[in-house]
């Protein structure tokens, strides 16, 4: 009989995340949201739901939480705007959908799923993508919804360092300052992603991000690019990445991991280690990935000081980790 187990892995971004940088209450806050996202995804799978639903549902938790650079809490562009990227892929069919540079849809991962399921396209960008999401009935928000004070301060700091004018602060934004105090600045990046394997053995991957602080000229990272930051195939694995998107694009990181599994027969952990610790590191890039395989293997790897992450599987308790020295 085929192994009926399900599994799910979550990341909340990689970067400069040292144990000494996080106060105990910050550490607890991040772990709590990672655990909540993993548990919500696991609940879908426990009930016999499909991997895609688990991925989308778990990503909603992270997009809605201001601690992470996706949805609410996203970083700002050099113009003081929030431009969001997301992608989702179904390993059973190789169907994929993505959005880049959206500014109005509340949950970009659902917009990506709508592109996949309700349009003939794979990737939509800018205002057209927002218009499509709205026409599909997805919730829209005002730009102030995404605003998080510490992201604004990070933008001010970066632009000042670069000698670039700081844009005018958006009007009418407010934030829960107690919540803001829990946030850690992990560098100018961050992203969220979830990969899952359902009880039928199908895998799916999703990634959602605000990209990089101070990005300009319509910059798009790896997250919404199928094969770079996101990929899923029942022949190999489901992968979601986080890190310096330009390097992930150049290496086709997510697809490359799948190729090593599918064509070279590497174990999933060996494949993620090869791409992150050898290929990405040799090229000078930083970041990490999470992955699951149709046979239930789970893996993660990163070459930064930390990566917010969690995993859970049928018969395996939830594990949540942040720093490099954790298993
Ligand atoms: N990969 C994302 C991007 O380049 C950022 C990150 O994951 O930190 O847009």
């Amino acid at each position: 009989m085929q192994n009926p187990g399900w599994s799910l892995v979550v990341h909340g971004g990689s970067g400069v995340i040292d144990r000494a940088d996080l106060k105990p209450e910050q550490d607890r806050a991040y772990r709590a949201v990672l655990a909540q996202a993993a548990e919500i995804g696991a609940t879908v799978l426990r009930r016999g739901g499909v991997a895609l639903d688990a991925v989308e549902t778990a990503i909603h938790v992270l997009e809605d939480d201001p601690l992470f650079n996706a949805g609410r809490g996203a970083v700002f562009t050099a113009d003081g705007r929030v431009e969001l990227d997301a992608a989702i892929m179904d390993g059973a069919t190789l169907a994929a959908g993505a959005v880049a540079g959206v500014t109005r849809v509340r949950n970009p991962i659902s917009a990506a799923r709508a592109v996949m399921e309700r349009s003939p396209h794979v990737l939509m960008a800018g205002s057209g993508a927002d218009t499509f999401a709205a026409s599909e009935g997805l919730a829209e928000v005002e730009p102030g919804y995404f605003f998080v004070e510490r992201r604004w301060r990070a933008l001010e700091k970066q632009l000042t360092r670069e000698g670039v004018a700081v844009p005018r602060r958006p009007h009418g934004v407010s934030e829960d300052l107690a919540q803001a105090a829990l946030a850690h600045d992990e560098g100018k990046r961050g992203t969220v992603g979830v990969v899952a394997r359902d009880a039928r053995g199908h895998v799916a991957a999703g990634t959602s991000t605000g990209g990089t602080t101070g990005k300009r000229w319509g910059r798009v990272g790896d997250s919404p690019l199928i094969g770079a930051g996101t990929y899923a195939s029942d022949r190999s694995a489901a992968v979601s990445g986080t890190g310096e998107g330009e390097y992930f694009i150049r290496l086709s990181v997510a697809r490359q991991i799948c190729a090593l599994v599918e064509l070279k027969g590497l174990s999933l952990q060996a494949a993620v280690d090869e791409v992150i610790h050898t290929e990405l590191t040799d090229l000078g890039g930083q970041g990490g990935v999470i992955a699951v395989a149709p046979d239930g293997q789970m893996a993660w790897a990163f070459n930064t000081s930390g990566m917010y992450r969690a995993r859970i599987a049928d018969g395996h308790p939830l594990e949540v980790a942040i720093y490099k020295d954790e298993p």
Side-chain angles (χ1 to χ4, degrees):
M1 195 181 97
Q2 206 196 348
N3 169 16
W6 49 264
S7 43
L8 180 127
V9 191
V10 172
H11 76 73
S14 64
V16 187
I17 317 169
D18 289 312
R19 198 178 277 281
D21 294 343
L22 264 71
K23 297 190 197 98
E25 60 271 27
Q26 291 179 309
D27 182 293
R28 276 197 298 276
Y30 278 95
R31 286 178 199 268
V33 185
L34 290 165
Q36 190 196 352
E39 285 291 2
I40 282 180
T43 301
V44 172
L45 297 170
R46 242 180 235 123
R47 291 182 181 151
V50 298
L52 267 182
D53 287 338
V55 165
E56 184 184 11
T57 308
I59 288 183
H60 281 177
V61 173
L62 301 163
E63 285 181 334
D64 291 347
D65 193 290
L67 289 179
F68 297 95
N69 175 20
R72 181 153 181 254
V75 300
F76 287 99
T77 68
D79 298 340
R81 286 153 48 87
V82 162
E83 293 178 1
L84 306 164
D85 301 336
I88 195 162
M89 186 160 184
D90 179 2
T93 59
L94 300 189
V99 291
V102 292
T103 60
R104 299 199 311 264
V105 63
R106 173 180 164 150
N107 290 109
I109 196 66
S110 295
R113 186 162 181 181
V115 170
M116 175 175 87
E117 291 178 340
R118 304 204 282 272
S119 91
H121 307 302
V122 169
L123 173 60
M124 295 186 192
S127 59
D130 272 310
T131 302
F132 170 74
S135 75
E136 288 298 323
L138 298 181
E140 286 187 283
V141 289
E142 292 300 317
Y145 165 82
F146 296 114
F147 183 96
V148 165
E149 182 66 33
R150 84 178 197 289
R151 300 293 193 197
W152 187 259
R153 291 200 192 132
L155 176 69
E156 285 178 335
K157 210 162 107 190
Q158 186 174 323
L159 295 182
T160 305
R161 203 170 38 229
E162 291 173 4
V164 176
V166 175
R168 195 124 65 92
R169 198 185 164 88
H171 289 300
V173 291
S174 64
E175 195 196 356
D176 177 347
L177 291 176
Q179 167 70 270
L182 293 174
H184 164 69
D185 185 5
E186 63 280 350
K188 50 182 200 163
R189 298 184 279 112
T191 285
V192 308
V194 178
V195 293
R197 181 244 194 226
D198 62 33
R200 286 173 211 86
H202 298 307
V203 297
T207 312
S208 182
T209 190
T212 51
T213 302
K215 65 184 182 179
R216 60 195 83 182
W217 306 305
R219 182 264 187 192
V220 174
D222 59 310
S223 310
L225 301 185
I226 299 303
T230 309
Y231 199 78
S233 166
D234 279 2
R235 296 167 76 111
S236 49
V239 181
S240 170
T242 162
E244 294 175 297
E246 284 68 14
Y247 291 89
F248 278 61
I249 295 169
R250 290 163 63 199
L251 287 169
S252 300
V253 162
R255 176 61 202 153
Q256 176 73 344
I257 289 166
C258 291
L260 290 176
V261 170
E262 186 179 336
L263 306 174
K264 270 189 130 183
L266 263 60
S267 72
L268 192 59
Q269 189 63 52
V272 301
D273 284 341
E274 164 69 20
V275 173
I276 296 302
H277 294 300
T278 304
E279 298 186 24
L280 180 68
T281 303
D282 286 355
L283 199 62
Q286 291 199 332
V289 292
I290 54 170
V292 292
D295 65 2
Q297 293 177 71
M298 297 186 281
W300 56 42
F302 53 98
N303 66 0
T304 49
S305 62
M307 180 169 81
Y308 299 111
R309 58 199 190 276
R311 61 182 160 199
I312 184 167
D314 196 6
H316 294 270
L318 172 70
E319 285 174 70
V320 181
I322 300 178
Y323 315 107
K324 203 187 225 147
D325 59 8
E326 293 178 86

